[in-house]
Amino acid sequence: MSAPVLLLVAHGSRDPRHAATVHALVRRVRSLRPGLRVETAFLDFNLPSVPGTLDLLAAEGVRDVVALPLLLTRAFHAKADIPAVLRQAPPALRIRQAEVLGPSPLLVAAVEQRLYEAGLTPADKSATGVVLASAGSTDPEAIAAIASTARELRRTGWCSVRPAFASASLPRTEDAVRAMRADGVRRVAVAPYVIAPGRLPDRIAAGAAEADVLAAVLGPSEELARLLVQRYDQSRTTERVAVA
């Protein structure tokens, strides 16, 4: 019996950097799990679409699919948009919707790795505060998950960690940076808690103008690729089927 196809479901963006990052992440996942078929589909703006990809898989005779949301939190897209589009899949497909990516220790590790790549070292932790800047959400569960990740990042040794948001929630990145300065933090770094470049990550970068360090987005990192494989494996041990 062949393994289920892994279908990464990304949001999509008018910014071409978004799709390029998603495809680079897919290549990394394939390198970690040779032989596993990994496909990509987008909810909006980019092709291939989720319905189009599901139709193609069914036409090829595929029967089992793990649909993995390329999302850091369980907000509207994970709770409503993705289940709705999966319910429209061809009836021959058995689809499991995997859990979103966060929270996870691998995401904390990915954030730290990006901070180190931006020039910081473990020795800088005790004198450096981190603004963990996400896209933002009105969903309380999503906000709580980001706060949890901020607490876990703080436990690794950074002198202060504050969540911030590019939209929908407060504080904004620039306000969190200024609040850290007011608290006497000597060095402030902004770590974008987003997967790919785009309009909201650009807003985060603009809000980091007064920070000392701006890390890159998570991107096609080793930690994120490992997390995708982990979520795929976990989904295969559950009984939850999105589409029968």
Side-chain angles (χ1 to χ4, degrees):
M1 182 177 176
S2 60
V5 171
L6 171 55
L7 176 63
L8 295 184
V9 181
H11 182 273
S13 171
R14 293 186 177 90
D15 190 320
R17 296 174 298 170
H18 175 90
T21 300
V22 172
H23 292 309
L25 181 57
V26 167
R27 289 193 294 272
R28 193 143 203 175
V29 172
R30 287 172 178 155
S31 72
L32 288 178
R33 188 62 65 88
L36 174 63
R37 181 172 179 181
V38 185
E39 299 292 343
T40 313
F42 298 89
L43 289 173
D44 206 355
F45 302 117
N46 302 103
L47 293 174
S49 68
V50 178
T53 301
L54 293 173
D55 287 345
L56 178 62
L57 291 173
E60 292 179 5
V62 171
R63 289 297 172 260
D64 291 289
V65 176
V66 170
L68 203 170
L70 200 56
L71 301 169
L72 298 177
T73 62
R74 266 181 54 79
F76 184 78
H77 293 306
K79 294 177 180 178
D81 285 349
I82 293 178
V85 75
L86 294 180
R87 283 194 292 269
Q88 300 170 19
L93 290 177
R94 292 184 295 265
I95 303 177
R96 295 176 184 271
Q97 182 177 330
E99 292 295 336
V100 296
L101 302 180
S104 167
L106 283 168
L107 288 173
V108 174
V111 169
E112 287 206 294
Q113 181 59 33
R114 288 305 192 226
L115 287 166
Y116 297 150
E117 290 168 0
L120 296 171
T121 70
D124 295 319
K125 284 186 172 185
S126 62
T128 304
V130 177
V131 174
L132 187 69
S134 73
S137 175
T138 58
D139 188 296
E141 184 179 354
I143 298 299
I146 293 165
S148 174
T149 299
R151 288 192 295 272
E152 291 304 313
L153 185 61
R154 172 69 180 85
R155 291 189 182 106
T156 69
W158 303 95
C159 75
S160 178
V161 177
R162 288 174 178 259
F165 308 93
S167 68
S169 308
L170 295 174
R172 295 288 182 257
T173 304
E174 55 269 31
D175 295 326
V177 171
R178 290 168 188 152
M180 276 196 177
R181 296 280 193 214
D183 287 344
V185 176
R186 290 167 47 193
R187 183 190 296 111
V188 178
V190 172
Y193 191 57
V194 292
I195 293 172
R199 178 176 57 88
L200 293 179
D202 284 348
R203 190 177 295 173
I204 290 171
E210 296 178 23
D212 302 291
V213 176
L214 172 62
V217 299
L218 300 177
S221 65
E222 175 76 13
E223 296 86 359
L224 193 53
R226 287 168 51 202
L227 180 55
L228 291 172
V229 172
Q230 184 182 99
R231 290 288 186 260
Y232 171 80
D233 289 339
Q234 290 169 343
S235 75
R236 298 185 65 190
T237 66
T238 67
E239 296 299 323
R240 186 161 57 93
V241 179
V243 178

